[in-house]
Amino acid sequence: MKIYFRLLSFAKPIEKFAIPYVIATMLSIIFGTLNLALLSPLFETLLKTKKSEVEVKPAAEHLSTFDILGKFRAFVNNSIDSVGAEKTLAYVCVVIVISVLLSNLFKYFSQRIMEDLRVHTLLNFRRSVFNNVMNLHVGFFNNERKGDIISKVASDVQVVQFTVTNTLQVVFKEPVTLIVYIIMLLTISAKLTLFSLLVIPVSGFIISKIVKRLKQQAKEAHESFAKMIGFLDEALSGIKIIKAFNSSERIKEKFNQENIFYSNLNRKMVRRQQLGSPVSEFLGVLMVAVIVWYGGTLILHNEENALAPADFIAYIAIFSQVMRPAKALTDSFSGIHSGIAAGERVLELIDTKAELTNKADAKTLDNFNEALILNNVSFAYGDKQILKNINVTINKGKTVALVGPSGGGKSTLMDLMPRFHDPKEGSLVIDGHDYKDLTVESIRAQMGIVNQESFLFNDTIFNNIAFGKPDATEEEVVNAAKIANAHEFIVNTENGYQTNVGDRGNKLSGGQRQRVCIARAVLANPPIMLLDEATSALDTESEKLVQEALNNLMQNRTSIVIAHRLSTIQHADEIAVIDKGEIVEKGSHTALLAKKGLYYRLIEMQTFND
């Protein structure tokens, strides 16, 4: 229940919906029950066609204030005496029509309010999940399956939303309906009602046994669905590789196996859920049959205190409806297991804390004036040491190149600078301020990033360039594209700057994508550029254009470059050679060549790979 109430907290402010829902539902239940209770006066009117047959009933003034049915029966009897059975029948029919109209009108309002609550809850829940995902550190996504996250944000949230609101609806509406029905039954015949209520606890016990394993199966089903989403995401992302290696059948089989497992699990769950409804319905019909036999026997034998035939018909009609709220309660308890299982998965994601959070008194870095310094920086993923005792000073306006063999830790070192991670030991200092004393947002505002993997959003070229500055004018975007050597190819596309680049920019070539990414960085105009040079995978012509764009980008800026090409690094103010997580050499291009160490060997081999 603790999880349920926490999930319910996403419906706040719940009183905005709960109060009108309670009022509308109560009125709907009262009029709905009255519809059935009025069957007694209706049949009584039909049966009493002669005055001589009219039994003496208590006068309305002698009846209890709450005995509405008794008062109406007294009205019917008086009406039959005064205006006759035919007109009385018309009065009864009009009252029934009005009662049905009001019952359905209030039922509509209650359902409408509950739907508003459902939408409100889903909005809050999905927003909370997505916001927390966006706040998590970059390292979190290296360890999690993207499909699992997508499943939680899309599918699991939907399951939780329906379960929470449906259960909330059932927990109030159905018990109240049940109570009102029972009160009405007790009013008609207390003896018969006490006998008939035995079916409800028996039904509840049997249903609880049926749905006992639903929660575990629901959790397995959600996890299996997440795996399928993960397979789908990987298959779509790597479709070219799959086809290139003739692995389509193997991938299809892998997906199909998980699909079969998920389908079988769902089949078992649905069978258990569906079993609850016919069992409770059968028990209800069985009990109605017993009551018809028992009550009918009393009437046929003219037993003392036996019900009048008209009252007995109304009693059977009301009791036949008692099983509906009872069945809805058992169905909701079987469905809540799936919602709780999905809720646990989503709350696990919400409860994941961001490793990087701003201190309460964190300052804002307004600009970059002096230097970015790494002091004895060490970093590890778990027990695996990645960086060890890194010391680098990057003065304003200077270019520092990071070179070294693949796997040496260059990209990890680059990720520390925009504070995607915090070092395990040591510190990063910018303009005399420790990173931890500054807001993450203000640090990143001073930096522009061009990654080796040029990522574009499925949007127009214009919007991709303006991503870092959404209010940019068309002139600013065009100027940024010209600096990035991208303007010429952009104007030659189908719709110019309004051309959609497709999923991850796949409508553009590698060189074109990279130049759009550079234009994006140019437009943001940060004082520090972090460049994971991406020219190594390009053809010669594209490489030349991108390199020119990079050179334009680096002008009058502080630049930290992961270098792959000699042409990029030989003009750097300082080169740091990183091997096995440590800086083994540092200096200018000429000085490092003279040492004839690792840098010299790398230059000889021209294998600067990240």
Side-chain angles (χ1 to χ4, degrees), residues 85-119:
E86 189 173 334
K87 283 190 177 181
T88 301
L89 180 63
Y91 295 156
V92 172
C93 289
V94 169
V95 171
I96 290 175
V97 169
I98 293 172
S99 178
V100 170
L101 175 64
L102 291 173
S103 170
N104 283 282
L105 186 64
F106 288 118
K107 183 180 179 182
Y108 164 74
F109 283 130
S110 69
Q111 290 175 337
R112 178 172 168 173
I113 294 163
M114 186 51 64
E115 190 59 38
D116 289 343
L117 175 62
R118 182 176 288 120
V119 171

Side-chain angles (χ1 to χ4, degrees), residues 145 148 151-152 156 216-229 258 261-262 265 341 345 348:
R145 291 178 70 97
D148 192 50
S151 174
K152 288 176 181 177
D156 291 0
Q216 180 60 33
Q217 288 180 326
K219 188 173 183 180
E220 291 175 7
H222 293 310
E223 289 173 352
S224 177
F225 182 76
K227 283 185 182 178
M228 282 202 299
I229 295 294
E258 193 63 41
F261 176 78
Y262 174 71
L265 206 56
R345 282 168 44 81
E348 181 186 354

Side-chain angles (χ1 to χ4, degrees), residues 117 152 214 241 256 258 322 373 449-450 461 545 567 584 607:
L117 175 62
K152 288 176 181 177
L214 274 177
I241 300 298
N256 191 44
E258 193 63 41
V322 165
I373 303 170
I449 301 174
V450 179
I461 294 174
L545 290 169
S567 57
V584 294
T607 55

Side-chain angles (χ1 to χ4, degrees), residues 453-459 461 464-465 501-506 508 512-514 516-517 520:
E453 181 185 352
S454 47
F455 181 88
L456 297 179
F457 296 93
N458 193 345
D459 204 337
I461 294 174
N464 269 286
I465 294 175
V501 300
D503 184 44
R504 302 191 185 192
N506 60 16
L508 305 180
Q512 290 172 337
R513 283 198 302 271
Q514 193 64 297
V516 172
C517 289
R520 181 168 62 196

Side-chain angles (χ1 to χ4, degrees), residues 168-184:
L168 185 65
Q169 183 176 1
V170 167
V171 163
F172 171 75
K173 180 184 176 183
E174 307 308 343
V176 171
T177 305
L178 199 59
I179 291 168
V180 172
Y181 279 158
I182 291 171
I183 291 171
M184 190 62 71

Side-chain angles (χ1 to χ4, degrees), residues 465 475-487 497 515 518-524:
I465 294 175
E475 183 182 1
E476 288 174 320
V477 170
V478 171
N479 287 337
K482 287 179 178 177
I483 293 171
N485 282 340
H487 178 71
Y497 282 84
R515 280 178 278 162
I518 293 169
R520 181 168 62 196
V522 169
L523 184 61

Side-chain angles (χ1 to χ4, degrees), residues 4-19:
Y4 176 79
F5 283 118
R6 188 174 170 203
L7 294 174
L8 193 60
S9 68
F10 289 95
K12 290 180 180 178
I14 197 168
E15 62 276 4
K16 175 183 175 184
F17 304 94
I19 294 172

